[in-house]
Amino acid sequence: MNAPLRDRSAHAEDIGEYLRVRAAMPALAQGLSDEDLSAQAMADASPGKWHLAHTSWFFEAMILNDRADYQPVDPRFQTLFNSYYEALGERVARDRRGLMTRPSVAEVMAYRTEIDRRMIDRLSQGLTSRRERYLFALGLHHDQQHQELFVMDMLSLMAASPLDPAAYVEEPRRGPAEPARGGQTWFEGGLIEIGADDVFAFDNEGPRHRVFLEPYALDHDLVTNGDWARFMADGGYVRPEFWLADGWAMVKAEGWTAPLYWSQDEAGDWTVMSLTGRHPVDPAAPVRHISAYEADAYARWAGKRLPTEAEWEHAARQAPDAFSNLFGEVWQWTSSAYAPYPGFRPTEGTASEYNGKFMANQLVLRGSAFATAPGHERVSYRNFFYPHQRWAFMGLRLAEDAPRRGTKPMLEDAVTAAFRRDLTQGLSALPKTLPPKWFYDAEGSRLFEAITDLPEYYPTRQEAALLAAIAPDLAQAFGPDATLVEFGSGASAKTRILLDATPDLAAYVPIDISPDALDLAAEGLRKAYPDLTVTPIVADFGHLNPLPPLEGAGRRVGFFPGSTIGNLDPDEAVSFMAGARRSLGEGALFLLGVDLVKDPALLVAAYDDAQGVTAAFNRNVLVRANRELDADFDLSGFAHRAVWNAVDQRMEMHLVATHAMTVNVGDRRFHFASGETIHTESSRKFTADTLRTMVEAAGWTVVRFDVSAEPSVAMVLLRGS
Ligand code: SAH
Ligand code: AVI
């Protein structure tokens, strides 16, 4: 029987994903000899050949084997390539994996090929149950975990050779490290939530639960090799006062004097063995290959401490932009024991042994490493190792206890730190810029509302009228019990038109960067719609965490009116729309409102009104910087300018320095030539074509396209394609 067309495309997506993930490990094995792939340097590591086989065995044991008539590719492989699953019978002890000279690498590759053939066959029949889908995702994530282990274990093998062989010409990494930025961000703590969101996660990341945190600060940067060298020079490895008892016992027993893979040459200079051979230690690079004991000793030496995993996750959720290398460089040790979260239940069935049984005597690491497969990481991810282990790509980022708000003024909250970073970076750029999201403090949000009432600013009026005309049709398309998720909701004024037309809506989730606007809007809505669940979220929609579990059995509907999408760069707009599609989930709709290209005279008037409200809105960002960042902008020295950029099809707002001057922002100084501008906002205008291209690039399909009366704006209804 032929599968329906829609199902077949879902199967093709699964097969595509399977092939993409499975191609990575053979690519890592390319160029390595059969001998490289067969040996193991220590009991914790496994041969490359074993990883190539075991990840295939996993699909066989967890997915293929669930049919009663299943015949294994080779029954012997069930023992040879089982890692630690007691329920699946005997296996070869881990420290003896390197003795398996047979099957050969060629036979293992043939085994992979056969498993892939059987998996593709299985995937093309379709994965039906939730459980099958979970195990399929687990198999892919398991493969990705072993891709990293493959590289870790290969380094341990190469480092065991006196020849210092290079496994690779270039380090196999997903992208460049981010530069260090200095400083730390302060978090108030309190009762916060950690744990898996409703994306794929291992069982150990859930359930999501509350944790109480005292105020703390987390360093923006990872500890570097240069920092580590200072610790060593100050007697780091010879002064027991820095060390936990078990750590000090390891220092003595193992003779540790430096991180794993470091050695000192005759001239006294340190070198480090890496995947590309032995090199001088780079002082600017994050330190790698240190145990939790060393990380803890370093922290004590530095007068700080390791973060707990809840502190790390909370910081990463609240202020992802404040930190360098949260992900993609080294896993970061925390002081948290790898223990079950309250209410933890292992995945049922064979995969129950995946994580839960290791929950004793290990510590959690957060983030991800340069060798972690792209797409494998998550903010809730819990990696774990024993505190003495060093061969993984592990490093550290320090935390410290912090006083409560107001008692230590040099520590900034996350939002202020991000504003300071954007402003100092923006004023250092040529031409000078500042992202428009910083307009919206309480006064900025108030000024924007005043703009929407101006005679020249047509977009809000036109969009509201259009929305009122099509709201009944939209309500029908949404269906019952839907959840409306609005981005940049501000006063939620237009939202009321939709709410009035959809009395059977289950919940409304307004998301805005401005807590003041959001509080005011939520209060008004709860009064006007007492039966509606209103769940406001203060967040930057450019860095959206997965949505919390939402009420309502119906579909999720994204709502992004007001042409706020036009304030994003074209690339940002596409990635925002693609991210929204992922976080809204399957079956979602999206209602997007945009302004259209029109006579530049009308546009310029809308952004340079006669009463000067837009000018005040523009200048308010300087007022905010003076207040929040200890800046000294002279407001009378900056003129408001609104111009139509025909090439990029956007209105631009600038603040123009009317004379040469110097401005201080905290302890930073910036020079302005006379006439030099800060580009504070772009407001892109669309045509039917440019709009369609943008949404389609983000995986959406236009379901309906409505245009208002002149001056025209458009509303499009989208569904995932
Ligand atoms: N949707 C309303 C308000 C538009 S004003 C309307 O159509 O009239 C833009 C809104 O987006 C403001 O409330 C502002 O605070 C919010 N905003 C701007 N940048 C944001 C960002 N990066 N993340 C979340 N909200 C943002
Ligand atoms: C929020 N955003 C869509 C408005 C716009 O038109 O770009 C902000 C604004 N800027 C000047 N006037 C209004």
Side-chain angles (χ1 to χ4, degrees), residues 436-437 440 445 448-449 452 460 463 486-492 494 511-514 517 539-542 561-564 567-568:
K437 65 182 176 190
Y440 300 94
S445 296
F448 174 76
E449 288 310 308
T452 63
T460 310
E463 193 178 64
E486 180 170 354
F487 303 94
S489 48
S492 294
K494 268 174 256 170
I511 301 176
D512 204 286
I513 202 166
S514 166
D540 180 341
F541 55 56
S563 209
T564 303
N567 297 140
L568 307 183

PDB file of all heavy atoms in Angstrom, residues 436-437 440 445 448-449 452 460 463 486-492 494 511-514 517 539-542 561-564 567-568, ligand 1:
ATOM      1  N   PRO A 436      17.417  48.423  18.291  1.00  0.00           N
ATOM      2  CA  PRO A 436      16.229  49.168  18.708  1.00  0.00           C
ATOM      3  C   PRO A 436      15.535  48.593  19.938  1.00  0.00           C
ATOM      4  O   PRO A 436      14.718  49.277  20.546  1.00  0.00           O
ATOM      5  CB  PRO A 436      15.308  49.105  17.490  1.00  0.00           C
ATOM      6  CG  PRO A 436      15.801  47.964  16.682  1.00  0.00           C
ATOM      7  CD  PRO A 436      17.265  47.839  16.955  1.00  0.00           C
ATOM      8  N   LYS A 437      15.876  47.351  20.309  1.00  0.00           N
ATOM      9  CA  LYS A 437      15.159  46.781  21.467  1.00  0.00           C
ATOM     10  C   LYS A 437      15.410  47.589  22.730  1.00  0.00           C
ATOM     11  O   LYS A 437      14.616  47.533  23.669  1.00  0.00           O
ATOM     12  CB  LYS A 437      15.539  45.315  21.680  1.00  0.00           C
ATOM     13  CG  LYS A 437      16.977  45.081  22.064  1.00  0.00           C
ATOM     14  CD  LYS A 437      17.236  43.590  22.187  1.00  0.00           C
ATOM     15  CE  LYS A 437      18.698  43.330  22.487  1.00  0.00           C
ATOM     16  NZ  LYS A 437      19.043  41.925  22.385  1.00  0.00           N
ATOM     17  N   TYR A 440      12.825  50.347  24.624  1.00  0.00           N
ATOM     18  CA  TYR A 440      11.582  50.077  25.355  1.00  0.00           C
ATOM     19  C   TYR A 440      11.759  49.934  26.863  1.00  0.00           C
ATOM     20  O   TYR A 440      11.502  48.886  27.432  1.00  0.00           O
ATOM     21  CB  TYR A 440      10.894  48.848  24.755  1.00  0.00           C
ATOM     22  CG  TYR A 440      10.559  49.057  23.289  1.00  0.00           C
ATOM     23  CD1 TYR A 440      11.436  48.641  22.284  1.00  0.00           C
ATOM     24  CD2 TYR A 440       9.402  49.720  22.919  1.00  0.00           C
ATOM     25  CE1 TYR A 440      11.156  48.862  20.948  1.00  0.00           C
ATOM     26  CE2 TYR A 440       9.108  49.943  21.577  1.00  0.00           C
ATOM     27  CZ  TYR A 440       9.988  49.519  20.599  1.00  0.00           C
ATOM     28  OH  TYR A 440       9.710  49.745  19.275  1.00  0.00           O
ATOM     29  N   SER A 445       8.232  52.641  26.102  1.00  0.00           N
ATOM     30  CA  SER A 445       6.968  51.950  25.780  1.00  0.00           C
ATOM     31  C   SER A 445       5.819  52.957  25.765  1.00  0.00           C
ATOM     32  O   SER A 445       4.929  52.886  24.912  1.00  0.00           O
ATOM     33  CB  SER A 445       6.681  50.847  26.804  1.00  0.00           C
ATOM     34  OG  SER A 445       7.683  49.866  26.726  1.00  0.00           O
ATOM     35  N   PHE A 448       6.074  54.976  22.594  1.00  0.00           N
ATOM     36  CA  PHE A 448       5.616  54.235  21.415  1.00  0.00           C
ATOM     37  C   PHE A 448       4.090  54.267  21.324  1.00  0.00           C
ATOM     38  O   PHE A 448       3.526  54.470  20.245  1.00  0.00           O
ATOM     39  CB  PHE A 448       6.118  52.786  21.410  1.00  0.00           C
ATOM     40  CG  PHE A 448       5.523  52.020  20.263  1.00  0.00           C
ATOM     41  CD1 PHE A 448       5.997  52.212  18.962  1.00  0.00           C
ATOM     42  CD2 PHE A 448       4.427  51.183  20.439  1.00  0.00           C
ATOM     43  CE1 PHE A 448       5.405  51.564  17.878  1.00  0.00           C
ATOM     44  CE2 PHE A 448       3.828  50.541  19.366  1.00  0.00           C
ATOM     45  CZ  PHE A 448       4.325  50.724  18.080  1.00  0.00           C
ATOM     46  N   GLU A 449       3.425  54.079  22.471  1.00  0.00           N
ATOM     47  CA  GLU A 449       1.954  54.132  22.451  1.00  0.00           C
ATOM     48  C   GLU A 449       1.484  55.509  21.962  1.00  0.00           C
ATOM     49  O   GLU A 449       0.507  55.613  21.223  1.00  0.00           O
ATOM     50  CB  GLU A 449       1.370  53.819  23.834  1.00  0.00           C
ATOM     51  CG  GLU A 449       1.489  52.357  24.227  1.00  0.00           C
ATOM     52  CD  GLU A 449       0.977  51.410  23.142  1.00  0.00           C
ATOM     53  OE1 GLU A 449      -0.158  51.577  22.667  1.00  0.00           O
ATOM     54  OE2 GLU A 449       1.740  50.502  22.749  1.00  0.00           O
ATOM     55  N   THR A 452       1.544  55.700  18.253  1.00  0.00           N
ATOM     56  CA  THR A 452       0.457  55.008  17.535  1.00  0.00           C
ATOM     57  C   THR A 452      -0.791  55.893  17.397  1.00  0.00           C
ATOM     58  O   THR A 452      -1.651  55.615  16.574  1.00  0.00           O
ATOM     59  CB  THR A 452       0.064  53.682  18.236  1.00  0.00           C
ATOM     60  OG1 THR A 452      -0.432  53.989  19.539  1.00  0.00           O
ATOM     61  CG2 THR A 452       1.237  52.740  18.352  1.00  0.00           C
ATOM     62  N   THR A 460      -0.473  51.514  12.816  1.00  0.00           N
ATOM     63  CA  THR A 460      -1.293  50.901  13.868  1.00  0.00           C
ATOM     64  C   THR A 460      -2.777  50.972  13.503  1.00  0.00           C
ATOM     65  O   THR A 460      -3.507  49.985  13.609  1.00  0.00           O
ATOM     66  CB  THR A 460      -1.037  51.614  15.215  1.00  0.00           C
ATOM     67  OG1 THR A 460       0.369  51.676  15.422  1.00  0.00           O
ATOM     68  CG2 THR A 460      -1.697  50.874  16.364  1.00  0.00           C
ATOM     69  N   GLU A 463      -3.656  48.683  10.512  1.00  0.00           N
ATOM     70  CA  GLU A 463      -3.598  47.264  10.858  1.00  0.00           C
ATOM     71  C   GLU A 463      -4.790  46.875  11.734  1.00  0.00           C
ATOM     72  O   GLU A 463      -5.382  45.808  11.565  1.00  0.00           O
ATOM     73  CB  GLU A 463      -2.283  46.947  11.571  1.00  0.00           C
ATOM     74  CG  GLU A 463      -2.024  45.463  11.684  1.00  0.00           C
ATOM     75  CD  GLU A 463      -0.704  45.146  12.351  1.00  0.00           C
ATOM     76  OE1 GLU A 463      -0.536  45.468  13.542  1.00  0.00           O
ATOM     77  OE2 GLU A 463       0.173  44.599  11.669  1.00  0.00           O
ATOM     78  N   GLU A 486       1.973  35.965  21.517  1.00  0.00           N
ATOM     79  CA  GLU A 486       2.284  37.212  20.802  1.00  0.00           C
ATOM     80  C   GLU A 486       3.709  37.665  21.096  1.00  0.00           C
ATOM     81  O   GLU A 486       4.158  37.675  22.245  1.00  0.00           O
ATOM     82  CB  GLU A 486       1.295  38.323  21.197  1.00  0.00           C
ATOM     83  CG  GLU A 486       1.606  39.615  20.454  1.00  0.00           C
ATOM     84  CD  GLU A 486       0.556  40.705  20.588  1.00  0.00           C
ATOM     85  OE1 GLU A 486      -0.513  40.448  21.175  1.00  0.00           O
ATOM     86  OE2 GLU A 486       0.825  41.816  20.104  1.00  0.00           O
ATOM     87  N   PHE A 487       4.412  38.085  20.066  1.00  0.00           N
ATOM     88  CA  PHE A 487       5.798  38.535  20.188  1.00  0.00           C
ATOM     89  C   PHE A 487       5.836  40.055  20.121  1.00  0.00           C
ATOM     90  O   PHE A 487       5.286  40.656  19.210  1.00  0.00           O
ATOM     91  CB  PHE A 487       6.633  37.921  19.062  1.00  0.00           C
ATOM     92  CG  PHE A 487       6.583  36.421  19.055  1.00  0.00           C
ATOM     93  CD1 PHE A 487       5.664  35.737  18.278  1.00  0.00           C
ATOM     94  CD2 PHE A 487       7.428  35.688  19.874  1.00  0.00           C
ATOM     95  CE1 PHE A 487       5.598  34.351  18.288  1.00  0.00           C
ATOM     96  CE2 PHE A 487       7.374  34.302  19.900  1.00  0.00           C
ATOM     97  CZ  PHE A 487       6.459  33.632  19.103  1.00  0.00           C
ATOM     98  N   GLY A 488       6.489  40.689  21.093  1.00  0.00           N
ATOM     99  CA  GLY A 488       6.546  42.155  21.131  1.00  0.00           C
ATOM    100  C   GLY A 488       5.152  42.712  21.332  1.00  0.00           C
ATOM    101  O   GLY A 488       4.698  43.589  20.603  1.00  0.00           O
ATOM    102  N   SER A 489       4.490  42.216  22.366  1.00  0.00           N
ATOM    103  CA  SER A 489       3.060  42.504  22.532  1.00  0.00           C
ATOM    104  C   SER A 489       2.790  43.921  23.021  1.00  0.00           C
ATOM    105  O   SER A 489       1.691  44.431  22.839  1.00  0.00           O
ATOM    106  CB  SER A 489       2.457  41.493  23.507  1.00  0.00           C
ATOM    107  OG  SER A 489       3.290  41.402  24.651  1.00  0.00           O
ATOM    108  N   GLY A 490       3.769  44.568  23.666  1.00  0.00           N
ATOM    109  CA  GLY A 490       3.583  45.947  24.118  1.00  0.00           C
ATOM    110  C   GLY A 490       2.320  46.095  24.943  1.00  0.00           C
ATOM    111  O   GLY A 490       2.111  45.387  25.929  1.00  0.00           O
ATOM    112  N   ALA A 491       1.423  47.003  24.535  1.00  0.00           N
ATOM    113  CA  ALA A 491       0.183  47.265  25.281  1.00  0.00           C
ATOM    114  C   ALA A 491      -0.901  46.230  24.973  1.00  0.00           C
ATOM    115  O   ALA A 491      -1.993  46.298  25.538  1.00  0.00           O
ATOM    116  CB  ALA A 491      -0.322  48.664  24.944  1.00  0.00           C
ATOM    117  N   SER A 492      -0.617  45.292  24.073  1.00  0.00           N
ATOM    118  CA  SER A 492      -1.605  44.269  23.650  1.00  0.00           C
ATOM    119  C   SER A 492      -2.921  44.905  23.206  1.00  0.00           C
ATOM    120  O   SER A 492      -3.998  44.331  23.403  1.00  0.00           O
ATOM    121  CB  SER A 492      -1.893  43.253  24.778  1.00  0.00           C
ATOM    122  OG  SER A 492      -0.765  42.486  25.052  1.00  0.00           O
ATOM    123  N   LYS A 494      -4.024  45.790  20.028  1.00  0.00           N
ATOM    124  CA  LYS A 494      -4.637  45.131  18.874  1.00  0.00           C
ATOM    125  C   LYS A 494      -5.084  43.726  19.196  1.00  0.00           C
ATOM    126  O   LYS A 494      -6.010  43.196  18.584  1.00  0.00           O
ATOM    127  CB  LYS A 494      -3.607  45.054  17.748  1.00  0.00           C
ATOM    128  CG  LYS A 494      -3.666  46.227  16.825  1.00  0.00           C
ATOM    129  CD  LYS A 494      -2.533  46.146  15.842  1.00  0.00           C
ATOM    130  CE  LYS A 494      -1.449  47.106  16.209  1.00  0.00           C
ATOM    131  NZ  LYS A 494      -0.218  46.939  15.461  1.00  0.00           N
ATOM    132  N   ILE A 511       4.622  38.056  24.942  1.00  0.00           N
ATOM    133  CA  ILE A 511       6.073  38.054  25.188  1.00  0.00           C
ATOM    134  C   ILE A 511       6.607  39.434  24.838  1.00  0.00           C
ATOM    135  O   ILE A 511       6.373  39.928  23.728  1.00  0.00           O
ATOM    136  CB  ILE A 511       6.773  36.997  24.308  1.00  0.00           C
ATOM    137  CG1 ILE A 511       6.211  35.609  24.610  1.00  0.00           C
ATOM    138  CG2 ILE A 511       8.281  37.028  24.515  1.00  0.00           C
ATOM    139  CD1 ILE A 511       6.756  34.509  23.724  1.00  0.00           C
ATOM    140  N   ASP A 512       7.314  40.063  25.759  1.00  0.00           N
ATOM    141  CA  ASP A 512       7.865  41.389  25.471  1.00  0.00           C
ATOM    142  C   ASP A 512       9.124  41.598  26.294  1.00  0.00           C
ATOM    143  O   ASP A 512       9.282  41.049  27.380  1.00  0.00           O
ATOM    144  CB  ASP A 512       6.843  42.490  25.782  1.00  0.00           C
ATOM    145  CG  ASP A 512       7.121  43.754  24.971  1.00  0.00           C
ATOM    146  OD1 ASP A 512       8.097  44.472  25.305  1.00  0.00           O
ATOM    147  OD2 ASP A 512       6.399  44.012  23.996  1.00  0.00           O
ATOM    148  N   ILE A 513      10.007  42.436  25.774  1.00  0.00           N
ATOM    149  CA  ILE A 513      11.257  42.734  26.466  1.00  0.00           C
ATOM    150  C   ILE A 513      11.032  43.766  27.566  1.00  0.00           C
ATOM    151  O   ILE A 513      11.869  43.924  28.452  1.00  0.00           O
ATOM    152  CB  ILE A 513      12.297  43.241  25.435  1.00  0.00           C
ATOM    153  CG1 ILE A 513      13.717  43.060  25.950  1.00  0.00           C
ATOM    154  CG2 ILE A 513      12.048  44.680  25.027  1.00  0.00           C
ATOM    155  CD1 ILE A 513      14.765  43.207  24.870  1.00  0.00           C
ATOM    156  N   SER A 514       9.902  44.454  27.516  1.00  0.00           N
ATOM    157  CA  SER A 514       9.648  45.540  28.463  1.00  0.00           C
ATOM    158  C   SER A 514       8.731  45.062  29.592  1.00  0.00           C
ATOM    159  O   SER A 514       7.527  44.882  29.386  1.00  0.00           O
ATOM    160  CB  SER A 514       8.992  46.710  27.717  1.00  0.00           C
ATOM    161  OG  SER A 514       8.448  47.614  28.641  1.00  0.00           O
ATOM    162  N   ALA A 517       5.664  47.450  30.204  1.00  0.00           N
ATOM    163  CA  ALA A 517       4.561  47.350  29.246  1.00  0.00           C
ATOM    164  C   ALA A 517       3.773  46.066  29.492  1.00  0.00           C
ATOM    165  O   ALA A 517       2.536  46.056  29.458  1.00  0.00           O
ATOM    166  CB  ALA A 517       5.103  47.373  27.817  1.00  0.00           C
ATOM    167  N   ALA A 539      10.912  38.513  27.898  1.00  0.00           N
ATOM    168  CA  ALA A 539      12.022  37.862  27.185  1.00  0.00           C
ATOM    169  C   ALA A 539      12.361  38.658  25.941  1.00  0.00           C
ATOM    170  O   ALA A 539      11.540  39.408  25.425  1.00  0.00           O
ATOM    171  CB  ALA A 539      11.639  36.445  26.782  1.00  0.00           C
ATOM    172  N   ASP A 540      13.583  38.461  25.488  1.00  0.00           N
ATOM    173  CA  ASP A 540      14.024  38.979  24.199  1.00  0.00           C
ATOM    174  C   ASP A 540      13.610  37.940  23.166  1.00  0.00           C
ATOM    175  O   ASP A 540      14.081  36.801  23.217  1.00  0.00           O
ATOM    176  CB  ASP A 540      15.550  39.148  24.244  1.00  0.00           C
ATOM    177  CG  ASP A 540      16.109  39.687  22.945  1.00  0.00           C
ATOM    178  OD1 ASP A 540      15.428  39.598  21.909  1.00  0.00           O
ATOM    179  OD2 ASP A 540      17.237  40.200  22.972  1.00  0.00           O
ATOM    180  N   PHE A 541      12.721  38.306  22.251  1.00  0.00           N
ATOM    181  CA  PHE A 541      12.249  37.276  21.321  1.00  0.00           C
ATOM    182  C   PHE A 541      13.341  36.830  20.355  1.00  0.00           C
ATOM    183  O   PHE A 541      13.190  35.842  19.652  1.00  0.00           O
ATOM    184  CB  PHE A 541      10.955  37.670  20.610  1.00  0.00           C
ATOM    185  CG  PHE A 541      10.989  38.994  19.876  1.00  0.00           C
ATOM    186  CD1 PHE A 541      11.927  39.263  18.915  1.00  0.00           C
ATOM    187  CD2 PHE A 541      10.019  39.961  20.150  1.00  0.00           C
ATOM    188  CE1 PHE A 541      11.935  40.471  18.227  1.00  0.00           C
ATOM    189  CE2 PHE A 541      10.022  41.178  19.478  1.00  0.00           C
ATOM    190  CZ  PHE A 541      10.994  41.441  18.520  1.00  0.00           C
ATOM    191  N   GLY A 542      14.448  37.549  20.333  1.00  0.00           N
ATOM    192  CA  GLY A 542      15.592  37.102  19.523  1.00  0.00           C
ATOM    193  C   GLY A 542      16.332  35.942  20.170  1.00  0.00           C
ATOM    194  O   GLY A 542      17.142  35.281  19.524  1.00  0.00           O
ATOM    195  N   PRO A 561       2.306  41.340  15.225  1.00  0.00           N
ATOM    196  CA  PRO A 561       1.740  42.437  14.453  1.00  0.00           C
ATOM    197  C   PRO A 561       2.651  43.662  14.470  1.00  0.00           C
ATOM    198  O   PRO A 561       3.747  43.639  15.036  1.00  0.00           O
ATOM    199  CB  PRO A 561       0.453  42.733  15.223  1.00  0.00           C
ATOM    200  CG  PRO A 561       0.816  42.475  16.650  1.00  0.00           C
ATOM    201  CD  PRO A 561       1.852  41.370  16.633  1.00  0.00           C
ATOM    202  N   GLY A 562       2.180  44.722  13.854  1.00  0.00           N
ATOM    203  CA  GLY A 562       2.815  46.031  14.021  1.00  0.00           C
ATOM    204  C   GLY A 562       4.076  46.223  13.207  1.00  0.00           C
ATOM    205  O   GLY A 562       4.766  47.211  13.381  1.00  0.00           O
ATOM    206  N   SER A 563       4.413  45.232  12.352  1.00  0.00           N
ATOM    207  CA  SER A 563       5.632  45.315  11.544  1.00  0.00           C
ATOM    208  C   SER A 563       6.891  45.349  12.400  1.00  0.00           C
ATOM    209  O   SER A 563       7.927  45.822  11.951  1.00  0.00           O
ATOM    210  CB  SER A 563       5.598  46.529  10.601  1.00  0.00           C
ATOM    211  OG  SER A 563       6.361  46.244   9.440  1.00  0.00           O
ATOM    212  N   THR A 564       6.807  44.849  13.640  1.00  0.00           N
ATOM    213  CA  THR A 564       8.018  44.781  14.459  1.00  0.00           C
ATOM    214  C   THR A 564       9.052  43.881  13.784  1.00  0.00           C
ATOM    215  O   THR A 564      10.252  44.071  13.957  1.00  0.00           O
ATOM    216  CB  THR A 564       7.675  44.289  15.888  1.00  0.00           C
ATOM    217  OG1 THR A 564       6.702  45.187  16.433  1.00  0.00           O
ATOM    218  CG2 THR A 564       8.886  44.279  16.791  1.00  0.00           C
ATOM    219  N   ASN A 567      11.851  45.590  12.176  1.00  0.00           N
ATOM    220  CA  ASN A 567      12.939  46.143  12.978  1.00  0.00           C
ATOM    221  C   ASN A 567      14.114  45.169  13.086  1.00  0.00           C
ATOM    222  O   ASN A 567      15.166  45.505  13.628  1.00  0.00           O
ATOM    223  CB  ASN A 567      12.461  46.514  14.391  1.00  0.00           C
ATOM    224  CG  ASN A 567      11.393  47.599  14.401  1.00  0.00           C
ATOM    225  OD1 ASN A 567      10.449  47.540  15.162  1.00  0.00           O
ATOM    226  ND2 ASN A 567      11.530  48.607  13.525  1.00  0.00           N
ATOM    227  N   LEU A 568      13.936  43.926  12.591  1.00  0.00           N
ATOM    228  CA  LEU A 568      15.031  42.948  12.618  1.00  0.00           C
ATOM    229  C   LEU A 568      15.789  42.999  11.291  1.00  0.00           C
ATOM    230  O   LEU A 568      15.194  43.289  10.250  1.00  0.00           O
ATOM    231  CB  LEU A 568      14.478  41.533  12.819  1.00  0.00           C
ATOM    232  CG  LEU A 568      13.552  41.311  14.020  1.00  0.00           C
ATOM    233  CD1 LEU A 568      13.146  39.840  14.115  1.00  0.00           C
ATOM    234  CD2 LEU A 568      14.239  41.732  15.306  1.00  0.00           C
TER     235      LEU A 568
HETATM  236  N1  SAH B   1       2.704  44.702  18.974  1.00  0.00           N
HETATM  237  C1  SAH B   1       2.404  46.066  19.368  1.00  0.00           C
HETATM  238  C2  SAH B   1       3.635  46.803  19.888  1.00  0.00           C
HETATM  239  C3  SAH B   1       4.704  47.059  18.883  1.00  0.00           C
HETATM  240  S1  SAH B   1       5.987  48.014  19.557  1.00  0.00           S
HETATM  241  C4  SAH B   1       1.805  46.788  18.182  1.00  0.00           C
HETATM  242  O1  SAH B   1       1.703  46.200  17.135  1.00  0.00           O
HETATM  243  O2  SAH B   1       1.436  47.937  18.351  1.00  0.00           O
HETATM  244  C5  SAH B   1       7.254  46.847  19.633  1.00  0.00           C
HETATM  245  C6  SAH B   1       7.160  46.018  20.886  1.00  0.00           C
HETATM  246  O3  SAH B   1       8.126  45.008  20.796  1.00  0.00           O
HETATM  247  C7  SAH B   1       7.466  46.809  22.155  1.00  0.00           C
HETATM  248  O4  SAH B   1       6.519  46.528  23.132  1.00  0.00           O
HETATM  249  C8  SAH B   1       8.845  46.331  22.563  1.00  0.00           C
HETATM  250  O5  SAH B   1       9.026  46.355  23.966  1.00  0.00           O
HETATM  251  C9  SAH B   1       8.867  44.946  21.983  1.00  0.00           C
HETATM  252  N2  SAH B   1      10.194  44.507  21.602  1.00  0.00           N
HETATM  253  C10 SAH B   1      11.099  45.135  20.828  1.00  0.00           C
HETATM  254  N3  SAH B   1      12.193  44.390  20.668  1.00  0.00           N
HETATM  255  C11 SAH B   1      11.964  43.246  21.361  1.00  0.00           C
HETATM  256  C12 SAH B   1      12.723  42.073  21.579  1.00  0.00           C
HETATM  257  N4  SAH B   1      13.931  41.920  21.048  1.00  0.00           N
HETATM  258  N5  SAH B   1      12.178  41.097  22.332  1.00  0.00           N
HETATM  259  C13 SAH B   1      10.934  41.223  22.870  1.00  0.00           C
HETATM  260  N6  SAH B   1      10.183  42.318  22.703  1.00  0.00           N
HETATM  261  C14 SAH B   1      10.692  43.315  21.948  1.00  0.00           C
END
